[in-house]
Amino acid sequence: AHAAIAAHLLGLPMGYVRSGNKDHGRQNRIEGRLDKGEKVVVVEDLISTGGSVLETVEALREAGAEVLGVVSIFTYGMKKGVERMAEAGVKNVSLTNLDTIAQVGAEEGYIAPEDVSRLLKFRDNPSDESWINGGEN
């Protein structure tokens, strides 16, 4: 929906990339007209590890598109995602990220200042669950 709204407001075409080919009709993975060499920007709502958005970028590249980058509403800024995007040569511009949300949340009193470090610890290593309950068991 975000891509459709942005395309409408900018007067630009919009397409959709599925996670796999449809199992009926023309069995398209990419819906919408896409000519080889066409410049595209991927619109994403959330980026964590970068897996799904990089699959989209790869599908577009395989179809002959020149992917200029990704715009996202939010990114966690997880190391794995940042590294994967850089390795794929994909630039991401995000409206906000976890660091900003945590900082503003603490400044506005929505979360305790000491919880900012817990949130960022989660971001840095989600599999290390010591951030749960303030590191207490």
Side-chain angles (χ1 to χ4, degrees), residues 85-101:
M85 299 283 276
E87 288 170 9
V90 177
K91 180 180 179 183
N92 175 54
V93 176
S94 188
L95 294 178
T96 194
N97 57 45
L98 183 61
D99 295 71
T100 301
I101 295 291

Side-chain angles (χ1 to χ4, degrees), residues 18-95:
R18 299 176 186 282
S19 57
N21 292 7
K22 288 187 342 186
D23 58 0
H24 60 281
R26 290 187 274 166
Q27 299 180 340
N28 292 343
R29 181 163 186 201
I30 299 173
E31 295 291 343
R33 192 174 132 226
L34 179 65
D35 298 324
K36 289 194 185 293
E38 195 163 8
K39 295 178 181 182
V40 301
V41 173
V42 176
V43 177
E44 186 67 70
D45 56 352
L46 166 74
I47 297 177
S48 55
T49 63
S52 61
V53 74
L54 288 175
E55 286 178 14
T56 298
V57 168
E58 184 59 31
L60 290 164
R61 287 176 172 169
E62 286 175 4
E66 179 185 344
V67 179
L68 300 177
V70 174
V71 294
S72 60
I73 295 171
F74 177 83
T75 182
Y76 282 101
M78 291 180 169
K79 182 179 178 183
K80 182 177 183 177
V82 171
E83 288 174 350
R84 290 171 87 182
M85 299 283 276
E87 288 170 9
V90 177
K91 180 180 179 183
N92 175 54
V93 176
S94 188
L95 294 178

